[in-house]
Amino acid sequence: SLRGSWRLRNGNGSVALRGEVPGCVHTALRRGGLIQDPYYRFNDVMYRWISLDNWTYSRTFKTPFDVRKWQKVNLVFEGVDTVAQILINNITVGRTDNMFNRYSFDITSVIKEVNFVEVRFLSAISYAAEQSRFHKAYSIPPACPPPVQKGECHANFIRKEQCSFSWDWGPSFPTQGIWKDVRIEAYNHYHLIYFTLTPFFVKSAQQWSLEIESIFDVVSSKPVSGLVTVSIPKLQTQQTYSVKFQPGEGSIVLLVNINKSATVETWWPNGHGKQTGYNMTTIFIMEAGYKIEKFSKAYFRTVELVQEPISGSPGLSFYFRINGRPIFIKGSNWIPADSFQDRVTYDTLWLLLKSAADANMNTLRVWGGGVYEQDEFYEICDELGIMIWQDFMFACALYPTDQNYLESVRAEVTHQIRRLKSHPSIILWSGNNENEAAIASNWFSIPYADREVYIRDYVMLYVKNIREIVLAEDKSRPFIASSPTNGLESVKEGWLSQNPYDTHYGDTHFYDYSNDCWDWTLYPKTRFASEYGFQSWPSFSTLEKVSSAEDWSYTSNFSLHRQHHENGNDEMIQQIERHFKLPQSTDPIKKFKDMIYLTQVMQAQCIKTETEFYRFSQSEIIKGEGHTMGALYWQLNDIWQAPSWASLEYGGKWKLLHYFAQNFFAPLLPVAYEDGGVLYIYGVSDLHTDRQLTLRVTVHTWSSLEPVCTLVKDNVTMKAQSAVPIYKEPISDLLRRCRNCTRKSCVVTFSLVGEGGLHSPTNHHFLSSLKDAVGLEKTQLSASVSQQDSIYIFDLQTTAIAPFVSLDVGSIKGRFNENGFLMTKKRKLVVFYPWEPTTVEELEKSLSLTSLMDVV
């Protein structure tokens, strides 16, 4: 391995320092104390010079073996970011131009006992600009990001993380560096490059089989033969095969039939069963006497994307069946966890992914403007039962299709599928993010006469190249060309549908910031909602780390600088004003904190309304629309400390939205909405069996902790994996029944309870905007903290009903079991799970308690 310390210098040699590999220039400069935190205040713009320079990594290494004894020696880079020339002992052995590719250079003839290796980078910004200039026949939009993003141009001309040139939630840091492992490989005879497992269930035989593919490089001039033994002890399965490898690079495929008398436990998504995996050993014993032993985990699960006619509705369904069972997809969209990938550790990933699972998510979409995630990301998803919708890395742009570009993409796609396809968590390959929509809705104002060339490029890239490779490399998963798409209908229309947002087909992305987000009638009754969302600000403790006191106001330069979405800060205010009073405090810091709190309340309540709408639409067709089978909000995580659509802040802290998600994605949930003056309550269940439940509907006046009236409905039949209406009542009857109630003075809460401790979260329905609520009083909230083993208990007390009670312990890492709740009882116990050691004293000192009436 050549991991570790390298020398690093800029173009003219005026800056020289040590640089860790894997790593990048920015983190090296930070570690060397030559720059501040790149995320601090306005540093993204101040440090633009780093990405404009051309940096070189170099080091010497002793060859740890006798060079003469090996037939072949390769220099292997798992990832180079991005455009570089590789030299060994001053001889160029190769070039790189794709961050997502694996590069292996034959250095047999140049390697000595002591070697000097150099990786000479070219600025990604200048390379992209140059490639765009070379493309003279026609332009490929967009040229540059909108000015509000403070980004770089022509990201679509370089195979690099697209959002590293800026995005509407992230900064521009076009890094240079060796971002993954680099090593020397020496071998005689043969060498294993890829090793993949794919499970299949053979219906006719009612038996599982595993397809094992091994890709080899054979250096001897004649074929190498030998034996391969595969054993999975837990499944009483062992098979031996005789194999023959031909010279050069090639593959062998072995089919292992699992012993029929063994019981195979399948891999299930979070909330639907266990994530069983089986230890498997594969031993290659070849005639050359050289033995390879591979230890891997075998998982068994099937996936189908079902697109079939639905009675009473034009169009086709769009849902996933896992192990033969339809699964409602619940989750979010994943973006890169940092601008500097070397800072994304196993712990970073575990914290974010565990938080997704803890919020009852079963799926994340790895979005196409980021990176194909590291192996550990998918391993954690396998373990937690988080399914992955995997985009290929193309987003919100048109792309070139010249020969060199296509060859690079073909290598990238082949490598990524081979690297990733053994993971049961991955359930779908998707060609790109929003590029079908970009052409269909003409985002880039392309004259009608010129459309053909762009359509041809689109089909060339995603269908004739990417799709072809997917079909050849992985027969076990569905592929769609884009998101949003009309699925099979898009295919029928030549891969580009007239309206990719059609609710009767495929998936949709939906954003609306100008209308009232509490109004469920705005939302598309789609087959599958793969993107939707609202922005909020991260908490003060998160912003504080990258700002100074003069930045702490909603209208400061810093607050504008961090907002990369046009009018984003104003849109949040407009949405808040519909239902809440804006803060008027004369203390500027309190006013800023109140504003942050309200953006988080607004975001949580908006996305709750929209997600509940998607969940209660799963079993019905209304006016030809419905059977919604997926809700992935935009977005799970943050790349830096800034306002964004995320529910997890940079560093992993849960926003109120994430606490709400834990409830609105609960396996059992009652959901309320109003239509024509009638209150409807639906029961939504992801459980695998029908249940008999009790629905409890309680009405409070805002001015009292004693309920005005409670209605109990027994023997509510909750059908397995469906959404059914379980209660309806005209609001006027409800107000009459609960005397003294008006829309403005009362609030409805409701929950489902069943046998054996089964219960839903308590949900709420507001009968008016909270700015119009009558009888809400400023409450005295207090909490005492105690420790119980490794967790902490917050004993919370209130003197009045308190909406959106938020507990915040500043920068102490951890999460509560619930937050942002409507408090309708005098006392409530809230649990805090720390992610690092803390004490009762620290927690008490850091705690701030806020409810809606504290915002003045």
Side-chain angles (χ1 to χ4, degrees):
S1 171
L2 293 179
R3 295 173 82 102
S5 189
W6 287 50
R7 282 192 295 280
L8 176 58
R9 60 181 165 78
N10 70 335
N12 65 12
S14 60
V15 183
L17 65 157
R18 320 248 8 117
E20 280 298 307
V21 168
C24 72
V25 173
H26 289 79
T27 43
L29 290 168
R30 176 84 185 105
R31 232 178 240 148
L34 295 173
I35 59 169
Q36 293 173 305
D37 177 357
Y39 284 174
Y40 182 68
R41 297 195 77 206
F42 306 92
N43 283 348
D44 55 320
V45 176
M46 305 292 288
Y47 293 160
R48 210 179 148 227
W49 62 271
I50 300 168
S51 306
L52 290 168
D53 211 331
N54 303 318
W55 297 79
T56 296
Y57 279 80
S58 62
R59 67 166 286 177
T60 50
F61 66 92
K62 278 204 179 82
T63 310
F65 49 81
D66 183 345
V67 186
R68 291 162 307 198
K69 288 197 173 133
W70 298 90
Q71 283 171 292
K72 190 158 187 191
V73 183
N74 287 339
L75 172 60
V76 180
F77 290 90
E78 289 296 335
V80 180
D81 175 18
T82 293
V83 183
Q85 179 185 3
I86 319 288
L87 299 93
I88 283 204
N89 304 324
N90 299 320
I91 295 164
T92 300
V93 293
R95 292 175 190 277
T96 68
D97 61 5
N98 187 329
M99 173 180 184
F100 308 122
N101 217 332
R102 175 181 184 274
Y103 288 95
S104 181
F105 301 114
D106 185 343
I107 57 167
T108 320
S109 58
V110 294
I111 194 165
K112 308 176 187 166
E113 274 174 53
V114 178
N115 302 277
F116 177 60
V117 56
E118 255 186 317
V119 181
R120 295 183 189 162
F121 284 96
L122 183 63
S123 159
I125 300 169
S126 21
Y127 173 84
E130 179 185 60
Q131 291 301 303
S132 154
R133 273 199 309 277
F134 287 160
H135 198 281
K136 291 196 168 63
Y138 52 98
S139 68
I140 299 187
C144 299
V148 66
Q149 288 179 201
K150 304 158 197 73
E152 301 295 349
C153 302
H154 307 298
N156 50 348
F157 275 93
I158 179 168
R159 290 312 297 144
K160 176 177 171 63
E161 177 186 20
Q162 296 291 276
C163 67
S164 67
F165 277 49
S166 84
W167 215 262
D168 58 5
W169 36 251
S172 171
F173 283 113
T175 43
Q176 290 172 43
I178 302 168
W179 74 293
K180 292 194 171 206
D181 209 15
V182 51
R183 61 182 180 273
I184 305 288
E185 286 174 353
Y187 46 96
N188 292 325
H189 312 301
Y190 71 104
H191 173 66
L192 179 60
I193 310 173
Y194 295 100
F195 181 81
T196 66
L197 314 177
T198 313
F200 290 99
F201 186 70
V202 185
K203 282 213 175 93
S204 54
Q206 285 297 296
Q207 183 180 25
W208 282 97
S209 65
L210 265 186
E211 187 182 279
I212 301 177
E213 185 173 15
S214 309
I215 295 174
F216 279 93
D217 181 26
V218 174
V219 279
S220 60
S221 51
K222 48 184 197 293
V224 177
S225 50
L227 297 176
V228 183
T229 303
V230 179
S231 57
I232 309 173
K234 272 248 172 80
L235 296 176
Q236 298 106 54
T237 298
Q238 180 163 346
Q239 276 168 258
T240 299
Y241 308 79
S242 56
V243 296
K244 187 183 258 183
F245 302 149
Q246 297 303 323
E249 196 173 305
S251 84
I252 52 153
V253 176
L254 307 174
L255 207 61
V256 179
N257 292 318
I258 303 301
N259 189 333
K260 267 191 160 170
S261 58
T263 313
V264 174
E265 279 189 25
T266 45
W267 181 95
W268 284 98
N270 182 31
H272 289 277
K274 294 201 295 216
Q275 289 77 44
T276 309
Y278 295 91
N279 290 332
M280 175 177 122
T281 312
T282 311
I283 300 174
F284 298 83
I285 297 178
M286 309 307 280
E287 58 192 352
Y290 171 47
K291 173 173 138 182
I292 296 181
E293 208 167 2
K294 279 299 276 186
F295 299 101
S296 31
K297 264 240 192 296
Y299 294 93
F300 297 87
R301 70 109 189 82
T302 59
V303 55
E304 302 153 273
L305 173 56
V306 183
Q307 300 183 68
E308 293 170 349
I310 298 173
S311 65
S313 173
L316 298 169
S317 64
F318 190 91
Y319 69 90
F320 290 91
R321 263 204 304 250
I322 305 292
N323 302 325
R325 185 183 282 277
I327 302 283
F328 186 97
I329 298 291
K330 302 183 296 189
S332 189
N333 286 264
W334 173 272
I335 65 162
D338 206 295
S339 293
F340 313 108
Q341 279 292 322
D342 51 294
R343 300 206 296 204
V344 183
T345 62
Y346 180 87
D347 293 349
T348 312
L349 294 172
W350 171 260
L351 201 63
L352 294 167
L353 293 170
K354 181 77 172 82
S355 293
D358 286 345
N360 291 307
M361 297 185 184
N362 60 28
T363 305
L364 292 172
R365 170 171 171 248
V366 174
W367 167 77
V371 298
Y372 304 94
E373 279 299 331
Q374 39 188 298
D375 296 344
E376 288 169 334
F377 173 93
Y378 301 96
E379 284 158 16
I380 295 169
C381 290
D382 294 344
E383 187 186 330
L384 293 175
I386 296 175
M387 298 181 284
I388 295 297
W389 167 318
Q390 180 67 53
D391 280 3
F392 287 101
M393 293 301 130
F394 302 86
C396 301
L398 305 182
Y399 289 88
T401 54
D402 50 272
Q403 229 23 65
N404 290 347
Y405 189 87
L406 286 177
E407 268 169 37
S408 184
V409 168
R410 290 178 69 87
E412 160 191 334
V413 169
T414 306
H415 165 60
Q416 294 298 343
I417 295 175
R418 289 174 179 177
R419 178 174 76 95
L420 298 175
K421 76 175 193 186
S422 306
H423 291 285
S425 50
I426 299 175
I427 58 165
L428 175 74
W429 300 111
S430 174
N432 66 68
N433 174 71
E434 295 181 351
N435 300 350
E436 180 184 344
I439 295 178
S441 318
N442 202 9
W443 292 3
F444 307 123
S445 312
I446 293 163
Y448 192 78
D450 301 343
R451 270 172 64 87
E452 276 315 304
V453 65
Y454 295 103
I455 292 173
R456 202 176 59 231
D457 279 355
Y458 181 92
V459 174
M460 173 60 75
L461 180 56
Y462 305 111
V463 185
K464 294 187 173 156
N465 281 278
I466 294 175
R467 179 172 174 269
E468 284 303 308
I469 294 171
V470 173
L471 295 180
E473 290 287 336
D474 183 10
K475 294 176 184 53
S476 72
R477 283 180 187 82
F479 168 85
I480 57 174
S482 186
S483 173
T485 181
N486 288 346
L488 293 176
E489 177 59 25
S490 285
V491 177
K492 208 163 107 189
E493 294 178 37
W495 298 96
L496 272 152
S497 59
Q498 288 259 275
N499 172 23
Y501 297 96
D502 190 330
T503 52
H504 303 92
Y505 299 97
D507 65 325
T508 55
H509 295 186
F510 181 81
Y511 296 96
D512 178 349
Y513 309 114
S514 51
N515 290 299
D516 178 4
C517 77
W518 290 19
D519 175 6
W520 61 271
T521 62
L522 295 176
Y523 300 121
K525 213 169 179 76
T526 171
R527 304 291 190 220
F528 196 108
S530 49
E531 269 194 37
Y532 59 95
F534 295 87
Q535 282 197 322
S536 73
W537 275 78
S539 50
F540 185 73
S541 60
T542 295
L543 289 168
E544 201 177 12
K545 297 180 178 72
V546 290
S547 57
S548 67
E550 71 209 75
D551 302 327
W552 300 336
S553 97
Y554 196 74
T555 51
S556 67
N557 285 342
F558 171 80
S559 292
L560 272 171
H561 180 79
R562 281 322 238 227
Q563 175 57 272
H564 280 198
H565 165 62
E566 195 70 60
N567 294 331
N569 291 349
D570 293 341
E571 284 170 354
M572 282 184 265
I573 289 183
Q574 284 159 13
Q575 198 58 257
I576 289 164
E577 273 182 319
R578 290 177 180 277
H579 301 291
F580 307 102
K581 292 173 181 153
L582 288 176
Q584 303 298 331
S585 174
T586 50
D587 171 356
I589 291 187
K590 177 171 180 359
K591 190 174 176 184
F592 187 43
K593 287 180 175 173
D594 284 349
M595 206 55 221
I596 290 171
Y597 165 78
L598 282 179
T599 66
Q600 289 204 18
V601 166
M602 173 275 292
Q603 178 195 36
Q605 188 67 25
C606 288
I607 293 183
K608 167 188 190 288
T609 309
E610 189 166 355
T611 306
E612 288 179 350
F613 169 73
Y614 295 138
R615 285 193 77 188
F616 81 65
S617 299
Q618 68 182 271
S619 308
E620 65 186 16
I621 293 290
I622 303 222
K623 294 183 190 153
E625 295 181 317
H627 279 213
T628 306
M629 282 299 285
L632 299 172
Y633 65 76
W634 184 270
Q635 65 206 66
L636 178 72
N637 57 317
D638 256 336
I639 197 165
W640 71 333
Q641 308 88 340
S644 81
W645 293 258
S647 63
L648 295 173
E649 303 179 1
Y650 182 77
K653 186 172 179 172
W654 289 27
K655 286 184 180 175
L656 292 186
L657 167 58
H658 208 81
Y659 289 103
F660 273 50
Q662 196 175 16
N663 289 339
F664 64 60
F665 283 145
L668 180 66
L669 183 71
V671 171
Y673 70 96
E674 274 183 54
D675 197 10
V678 180
L679 177 71
Y680 293 88
I681 297 180
Y682 274 55
V684 181
S685 171
D686 287 329
L687 307 172
H688 290 195
T689 52
D690 294 359
R691 301 293 175 102
Q692 289 300 109
L693 304 169
T694 299
L695 171 70
R696 178 182 288 266
V697 182
T698 306
V699 177
H700 278 88
T701 61
W702 285 118
S703 54
S704 168
L705 286 161
E706 293 306 315
V708 188
C709 62
T710 300
L711 177 141
V712 176
K713 183 179 173 187
D714 289 319
N715 299 325
V716 173
T717 302
M718 191 57 246
K719 279 189 62 200
Q721 294 194 278
S722 63
V724 289
I726 52 177
Y727 180 78
K728 68 182 253 195
E729 181 178 18
I731 299 285
S732 51
D733 294 6
L734 177 115
L735 296 175
R736 209 169 302 127
R737 181 166 65 77
C738 305
R739 55 196 189 292
N740 305 335
C741 262
T742 66
R743 273 185 172 276
K744 291 180 177 175
S745 67
C746 289
V747 60
V748 188
T749 62
F750 45 96
S751 64
L752 288 165
V753 184
E755 313 250 287
L758 177 68
H759 64 91
S760 76
T762 298
N763 209 341
H764 59 257
H765 177 71
F766 298 130
L767 296 166
S768 75
S769 285
L770 294 197
K771 65 178 178 186
D772 302 327
V774 172
L776 261 180
E777 298 159 21
K778 192 157 168 49
T779 164
Q780 294 298 297
L781 280 173
S782 61
S784 59
V785 188
S786 58
Q787 186 171 359
Q788 204 180 317
D789 303 324
S790 61
I791 61 172
Y792 294 86
I793 312 291
F794 286 67
D795 187 339
L796 211 56
Q797 308 217 1
T798 182
T799 53
I801 285 196
F804 302 110
V805 175
S806 158
L807 298 88
D808 189 330
V809 288
S811 52
I812 296 173
K813 282 192 185 305
R815 70 164 179 99
F816 294 94
N817 69 328
E818 52 179 321
N819 213 341
F821 43 81
L822 174 64
M823 196 160 168
T824 54
K825 295 200 171 70
K826 269 200 180 72
R827 240 190 110 192
K828 185 176 177 77
L829 296 179
V830 179
V831 180
F832 181 73
Y833 302 104
W835 295 333
E836 59 183 18
T838 183
T839 61
V840 168
E841 297 72 48
E842 274 183 7
L843 288 167
E844 281 177 336
K845 198 174 103 209
S846 302
L847 176 68
S848 59
L849 286 170
T850 313
S851 81
L852 191 61
M853 297 310 283
D854 295 314
V855 174
V856 289

